[in-house]
Amino acid sequence: MIRYFNVLFVLVVLIGVAIVFELKRDAEQAAEHVADLKRQIAAEEEAISLLKAEWSLLNQPDRLQKLVARYNDYLELEPLAVEQIAEIDDLPTKPIQFDPVLGEDRLGGFAGGTVNIQ
């Protein structure tokens, strides 16, 4: 009887060792995945900072003024006039609503039939 108990105990210990080993391997893989993600994030942040620096360099007012002076004959750029700013009343009205082809059902399609403009 004690012999069977010892064999059962050894089997339980071996199963426990296998489970602990599997958990350790999964934890190491998760840690590697997290480290890879952190490396990718750092690379993306570095790329973003580089792009921001390039953007600020390209948007320097002196550089833009030189470009405007250089290509003004082609672009015909002019300063913004106050009359160019629109008001709410100057915006177009709401689009025209069409009747659904298949009746009052709003889920019906508009294709394949005549369109009635209200």
Side-chain angles (χ1 to χ4, degrees), residues 87-104:
E87 295 179 3
I88 296 289
D89 297 334
D90 297 335
L91 297 176
T93 59
K94 188 176 179 180
I96 299 171
Q97 297 294 321
F98 297 104
D99 289 334
V101 175
L102 301 175
E104 292 298 322

Side-chain angles (χ1 to χ4, degrees), residues 33-45:
H33 183 67
V34 168
D36 288 340
L37 289 176
K38 285 183 179 180
R39 279 191 293 274
Q40 289 176 359
I41 289 170
E44 291 294 327
E45 287 175 347

Side-chain angles (χ1 to χ4, degrees), residues 6-24:
N6 286 338
V7 170
L8 181 64
F9 182 71
V10 168
L11 287 176
V12 168
V13 168
L14 289 176
I15 291 172
V17 167
I19 291 173
V20 169
F21 178 76
E22 183 72 22
L23 289 173
K24 178 183 178 243

